[in-house]
């Protein structure tokens, strides 16, 4: 699973807003994973950069968001509602145009217990540009989640090697919600997917059968639970699951037997 970004913004204080015409926003950036059929996918996070200018050349005006938790992260550990906090910073309120995740060279994949280095083209290391296009207001809260799609991000080459070309879904919609629950039995992994005409959001269950789908826009969804093929259990569907803005939808326990 690969995966997401989450940003949260708060004003420094009422006094700050009164003395500073714009004020500041408290911004957090997190990452999660959409499913992938590998033993491990490790990515080398070096920076998160933002672009606040509406005009200018495509590659100009980028700056580090600051205080980024750099390191090598296994995306397949970000399941069952787990996300990785990448940054927690104060930013001036104002226009946020784009964001990109900067990767290093230490990227690898584990397949059938064997680890392989993943080549990362320079264009990918410089960061996939993700459109935000939102005015950040002082004192308001915004949530953004970077959801890596592992299956689409990892490209198998004919010579047995692998390329990392990140495919990321940015969840940055005001009022986005979560869908959570538990799948029973939990002694194997299940894929949980929420889908409608506009959106497809998915995650694997964790070791206890728990799952969380982040950044779900309001709407009506079909929930599909697909257990590991080795379980010999059927796929379960739940239709007409209504998700309202800024809510947590608890599907409780979904039984596959």
């Amino acid at each position: 699973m690969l995966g997401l970004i989450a940003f949260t913004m708060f004003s420094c204080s009422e006094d700050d807003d009164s003395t500073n015409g714009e004020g500041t926003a408290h911004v957090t950036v997190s990452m999660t994973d959409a499913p992938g059929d590998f033993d491990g996918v490790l990515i080398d996070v070096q920076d998160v950069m933002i672009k606040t200018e509406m005009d200018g050349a495509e590659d100009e005006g980028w700056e580090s968001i600051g205080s980024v938790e750099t390191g090598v992260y296994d995306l397949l550990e970000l399941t069952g509602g787990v996300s990785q906090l990448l940054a927690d910073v104060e930013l001036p309120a104002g226009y946020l145009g784009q964001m990109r995740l900067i990767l290093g060279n230490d990227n690898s994949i584990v397949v059938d217990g064997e680890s392989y280095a993943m080549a990362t083209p320079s264009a990918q290391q410089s960061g996939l540009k993700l459109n935000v296009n939102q005015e950040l207001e002082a004192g308001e809260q915004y949530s953004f989640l970077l959801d890596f799609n592992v299956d689409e991000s990892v490209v198998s080459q004919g010579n047995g090697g692998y390329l990392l070309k990140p495919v990321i879904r940015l969840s940055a919609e005001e009022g986005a919600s979560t869908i959570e629950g538990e799948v029973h039995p939990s002694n194997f992994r299940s894929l949980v997917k929420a889908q409608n005409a506009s959106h497809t959001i998915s995650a694997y269950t964790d070791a206890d059968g728990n799952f969380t789908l982040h950044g779900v826009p309001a709407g009506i969804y079909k929930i599909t639970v697909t257990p590991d093929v080795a379980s010999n259990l059927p796929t379960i569907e739940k239709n007409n699951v209504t998700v309202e803005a800024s809510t947590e939808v608890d599907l409780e326990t979904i039984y596959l037997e």
Side-chain angles (χ1 to χ4, degrees):
M1 297 172 54
L2 277 162
L4 217 263
I5 287 179
F7 294 60
T8 308
M9 309 178 57
F10 304 88
S11 63
C12 285
S13 69
E14 291 183 2
D15 290 341
D16 286 345
D17 288 344
S18 63
T19 58
N20 182 333
E22 292 185 345
T24 61
H26 181 192
V27 176
T28 66
V29 182
S30 298
M31 175 176 63
T32 191
D33 171 39
D37 191 17
F38 304 101
D39 297 334
V41 177
L42 292 88
I43 64 167
D44 180 11
V45 175
Q46 292 295 310
D47 202 358
V48 176
M49 303 192 76
I50 57 174
K51 185 174 184 179
T52 57
E53 298 294 331
M54 298 180 63
D55 302 319
E58 183 70 17
D59 292 323
E60 294 180 356
W62 290 94
E63 58 185 82
S64 174
I65 198 171
S67 302
V68 175
E69 296 289 336
T70 61
V72 176
Y73 299 100
D74 186 351
L75 293 171
L76 298 191
E77 292 183 356
L78 305 180
T79 61
V82 177
S83 61
Q84 175 62 50
L85 180 67
L86 296 180
D88 188 339
V89 297
E90 294 286 334
L91 292 179
Y95 177 76
L96 178 59
Q98 293 179 309
M99 175 174 292
R100 61 187 185 184
L101 185 66
I102 308 300
L103 301 180
N105 293 313
D106 193 10
N107 304 293
S108 61
I109 186 170
V110 182
V111 181
D112 296 329
E114 295 288 334
S115 181
Y116 302 88
M118 281 194 296
T120 308
S122 58
Q124 303 302 323
Q125 288 180 321
S126 66
L128 176 68
K129 299 177 181 67
L130 302 167
N131 292 323
V132 180
N133 295 329
Q134 186 161 353
E135 193 73 25
L136 304 180
E137 298 181 10
E140 294 299 319
Q141 179 173 337
Y142 303 85
S143 294
F144 299 82
L145 186 68
L146 280 180
D147 191 355
F148 264 85
N149 188 317
V150 173
D151 277 340
E152 295 186 13
S153 298
V154 177
V155 180
S156 178
Q157 298 180 289
N159 60 4
Y162 294 88
L163 281 176
L164 177 61
K165 301 180 70 174
V167 176
I168 304 172
R169 182 180 72 93
L170 172 61
S171 170
E173 299 191 33
E174 185 176 356
S177 301
T178 61
I179 299 176
E180 60 187 35
E182 179 181 353
V183 176
H184 182 81
S186 60
N187 57 332
F188 51 83
R189 191 169 62 172
S190 295
L191 173 62
V192 182
K193 182 183 297 184
Q195 190 170 20
N196 62 15
S198 302
H199 305 281
T200 298
I201 303 161
S202 56
Y204 277 122
T205 54
D206 65 12
D208 297 318
N210 300 309
F211 67 89
T212 300
L213 304 178
H214 293 282
V216 183
I220 299 176
Y221 292 84
K222 179 175 74 173
I223 307 299
T224 305
V225 180
T226 306
D228 188 282
V229 65
S231 71
N232 293 317
L233 292 173
T235 295
I236 299 296
E237 293 183 353
K238 295 176 68 70
N239 293 309
N240 300 320
V241 174
T242 300
V243 177
E244 297 180 351
S246 303
T247 60
E248 295 181 0
V249 178
D250 189 354
L251 299 181
E252 299 182 345
T253 303
I254 300 174
Y255 293 93
L256 300 177
E257 298 178 317

